[in-house]
Amino acid sequence: MNKIAEIFTSLDYGPAPESADVALAWLAAHDNTFGHFINGAWTKPGKTFASENPANGKVLAQVTDGTAADVDAAVKAARAAFPKWSALSGYQRGKYLYAIARLIQKHSRLFAVLETMDNGKPIRESRDVDIPLVARHFYHHAGWAQHLEREFPDHVPYGVCGQIIPWNFPLLMLAWKIAPALAAGNTVVLKPAEFTSLTALLFAEICDKAHLPKGVVNIVTGEGDTGAAITGHPDIDKIAFTGSTEVGKIIRRATAGTGKGISLELGGKSPYIVFDDADIDSAIEGLVDAIWFNQGQVCCAGSRLLVQESIEERFLEKLKKRMSTLRVGDPLDKAVDIGALVAPVQVERVRDLVKKGVAEGGQLYEPDIDVPGGGCFLKPTLITNVSTANTVANEEIFGPVLVEMSFRTPEEAVALANNTRYGLAATIWTENVNLALDIAPKLKAGVVWINSTNNFDAAVGFGGYKESGFGREGGREGMAFYLKAKWEKELKPFVAAAAKSGKSANPLDDAGGIDQTAKMYIAGKQARPDSGYSRPVHGPSGALVGEVGDGNRKDIRNAVEAARAALGWATTSAHNRAQILYFLAENLEYRADEFAARLRAQTGEDGAAEVAASVERLFAFAGWADKYDGAVHNPPQRMVATAMVEALGAMAILAPPSRPLLGSIALIAPALAMGNTVVLVPSERSPLSMTDFYQVLETSDVPSGVLNIVTGESKVLAKTLAEHDGIDAIWFAGDAETSAMVEKASAGNVKQTWTSRGLYYDLSDKAKFEGDYFLRRATQVKNVWIPYGA
């Protein structure tokens, strides 16, 4: 029987190999050995390591392991190139980005084949998904380059950006980072993953062909020490990292106190929620894409399948049948569904986690399909009978392994979906649009796909919540993370006024009559400090003005619990939040003379102007509450992506020592306007204005727990708050040493931070602080992809 007859009999796929000849020829032209690309030229190869084809174990090339000296040379080249590059008009930078996009398209097949050989992903994915998206990012950001001055007035590039990318999408992650950085006017030192450096080196040649000025893009290859040299380099202004949460935390700690900009796109354990009214066949096809795309080596992979109990048995039966039709094999075969994992070490890690999941009670299913020998191949895997405590339900496996659980009600689905330290992405399948749009805002994830999965576009921001990191890549919000306010580069150190000597600091010597120690304000009630101690507050002459409670760890615990219990504040309509802030302003103005007198007693200055400024600031953010909203993106798919601006959650705010009233109001007003709840530590030196303020809160309809006030030593309370896993973001206005401590301690749950680092921020400046500056830092963007159009 001839081959055609056999095919019609078996209805099996025949091989459809993609030629590797062009990629092999390109490697041979470099003698299969590469140095770095620094200052527009190739360096002489140093100590090298092998880059292997994970499908067959063959060595593709030798790649140089970058040293600290190599990184330093690249940073110097980027620094030297920065003045001229940033001085170009946006139109001129955009032309370079356009040229890069066109050259990527011209050499798209070479990029696709090289990517598949180096990474192991099927050629269909690199050819039809990755490389077109790479070109799309450079096209899209060519436009941003020209429109930055209009859309981001008074903003400037950071300078030199250090960028570290992972091995799962080597060229796409490069495009996600380099395109916006260059559009903004930054220069770049990029380190690709050690397993997959080759397409980044090919991209370096594209930069040369596009006549990109020397030093604008520098590619330094290497292992972990090379990345550490980048994050620790003192002349790098911003770090952008995509990779594991564990490494992201290390980078957050390493950059603490340096003033570097930082964006982290980290791990995920994304839920894939299927309701009983879903189109099951479509949901299963989406699931194949969600978990077995790129062998499951995707940070936003739908690795946790949540199926409504009423359809669980039928869904799993169909899923297993579909798994049996998946083809595992040579990634260069265009008929293959699942290629090779990136390296043997990754295969072993996945196997170990699967064994652990089974040992903890999970039931393993693998289809009876052929898997090639001699490469890093694994079968698609399903683990059922899993509880929320099982390791495989919590740890990011980063392989072709799906974990399944069932739910009964939508409420239970949301609880299971959010029961993770991650918050990168989520998928919802249902034919009920009301249900889908009810569930989407309840999911703690930066991206939500409805009746679809793994949609990406340069116009739509991508990034996570919680321990999936902070920052966005793509779209307007992605551009914002490569720019900073121009005035921030001109800040001067804060110089505190010298304390004047006066009466004894012993309150027993000064206090008389009835004790009027100001209490704390927690959960809508005045609360005595757990410590049982108070702190004296002295005026400029040293005379005792009053006393406040000395807060400790237990007071912080109580305040954080109250703030988290009040998180429903974010679901209160923006109109209602605005009304309450207006009411706060009104009631504060009624008592302006009283607050001015208190300010005068604490600072010796006329407090009338500060009270007036505080009232105006509350009015300003009341006005923003229902106006600082999102957008609807129009990606080149049959979808729309709604960019929803959401609150961060429970925030800790430690006010500056100066301006006892305005210093706190200027920070809490934008946080509250955007729906966050707050634990406030007021000025350590002059806290009485904010302990008076809780009387205004009590008469202004502010729900209990929305604003909690704990007095005490800022440095001590800042550490407790920064380490607290119940706090989602922390702002600290104070000295450089404590700022560094706050940033370092915040790495525990990857909090978003803002610190003043000992610099003087004039919070009375309306032009700077009555708008986007703090609003953007008080929010995060969730992109919800919704099917739209024919």
Side-chain angles (χ1 to χ4, degrees), residues 14 48 61 70 81 178 210 278 369 455 466 483 518 529 566 684 690 703 777 785:
T48 63
D70 295 327
I178 287 184
I369 57 177
N455 289 301
K466 301 191 289 186
L483 296 160
E684 177 182 336
M690 290 312 295
R777 288 159 178 78
W785 290 72

Side-chain angles (χ1 to χ4, degrees), residues 400-659:
V401 181
L402 178 65
V403 176
E404 187 269 341
M405 290 179 280
S406 65
F407 65 89
R408 291 184 177 180
T409 65
E411 292 74 20
E412 186 182 2
V414 170
L416 286 170
N418 289 337
N419 184 38
T420 173
R421 62 193 177 108
Y422 300 109
L424 189 53
T427 301
I428 302 168
W429 281 87
T430 174
E431 292 297 286
N432 185 337
V433 66
N434 292 323
L435 178 61
L437 297 180
D438 177 59
I439 296 296
K442 297 175 182 177
L443 299 176
K444 302 302 180 185
V447 181
V448 177
W449 294 297
I450 295 176
N451 290 343
S452 61
T453 196
N454 276 347
N455 289 301
F456 308 100
D457 186 59
V460 183
F462 181 87
Y465 288 11
K466 301 191 289 186
E467 291 191 33
S468 289
F470 50 80
R472 292 293 182 267
E473 296 187 281
R476 182 186 180 87
E477 54 266 39
M479 278 304 314
F481 279 91
Y482 282 94
L483 296 160
K484 67 187 304 181
K486 185 177 181 180
W487 54 263
E488 281 193 277
K489 290 197 170 187
E490 302 163 357
L491 290 170
K492 305 297 182 185
F494 173 74
V495 180
K500 297 180 181 180
S501 60
K503 294 185 179 180
S504 167
N506 183 349
L508 294 179
D509 292 342
D510 292 308
I514 300 174
D515 175 46
Q516 293 185 354
T517 301
K519 298 182 180 67
M520 299 178 189
Y521 190 70
I522 298 173
K525 300 176 182 178
Q526 298 180 37
R528 297 182 186 279
D530 172 73
S531 67
Y533 292 102
S534 60
R535 299 173 61 85
V537 179
H538 295 94
S541 67
L544 183 70
V545 178
E547 297 175 50
V548 295
D550 193 12
N552 65 11
R553 183 175 294 271
K554 188 173 180 181
D555 298 313
I556 292 295
R557 182 202 67 186
N558 294 339
V560 173
E561 288 179 356
R564 297 210 68 82
L567 287 175
W569 172 246
T571 62
T572 301
S573 75
H575 170 69
N576 285 343
R577 292 199 303 271
Q579 283 186 302
I580 289 173
L581 287 174
Y582 279 130
F583 202 13
L584 271 174
E586 181 183 353
N587 287 334
L588 176 60
E589 191 168 40
Y590 284 151
R591 302 175 63 175
D593 291 344
E594 176 187 339
F595 274 84
R598 178 70 93 174
L599 285 168
R600 189 162 49 252
Q602 293 174 100
T603 66
E605 299 176 3
D606 180 11
E610 185 171 340
V611 175
S614 299
V615 171
E616 185 174 352
R617 195 62 54 90
L618 285 167
F619 254 77
F621 286 106
W624 275 119
D626 60 357
K627 298 174 186 64
Y628 194 76
D629 48 22
V632 177
H633 300 304
N634 182 28
Q637 290 109 308
R638 195 182 62 85
M639 312 281 291
V640 293
T642 58
M644 308 301 295
V645 176
E646 295 189 342
L648 297 175
M651 292 180 61
I653 295 178
L654 295 102
S658 61
R659 301 187 187 276

Side-chain angles (χ1 to χ4, degrees), residues 702-716:
V702 179
S704 63
V706 167
L707 177 59
N708 307 273
I709 301 172
V710 178
T711 52
E713 185 178 351
S714 289
K715 185 173 183 177
V716 172

Side-chain angles (χ1 to χ4, degrees), residues 126-169:
S126 54
R127 180 195 66 198
D128 299 340
V129 179
D130 290 22
I131 308 308
L133 268 175
V134 170
R136 163 75 173 143
H137 270 267
F138 281 97
Y139 275 123
H140 178 78
H141 287 93
W144 267 120
Q146 191 165 358
H147 297 302
L148 281 181
E149 291 185 10
R150 183 180 299 106
E151 294 299 311
F152 294 92
D154 300 318
H155 279 68
V156 293
Y158 274 90
V160 176
C161 294
Q163 302 178 324
I164 303 171
I165 59 175
W167 43 258
N168 57 339
F169 292 93

Side-chain angles (χ1 to χ4, degrees), residues 98-120:
Y98 173 77
I100 290 171
R102 292 287 289 117
L103 286 166
I104 287 169
Q105 287 181 318
K106 179 178 179 179
H107 299 284
S108 61
R109 187 55 63 97
L110 171 58
F111 272 114
V113 173
L114 188 62
E115 191 85 318
T116 286
M117 293 171 66
D118 202 24
N119 169 273

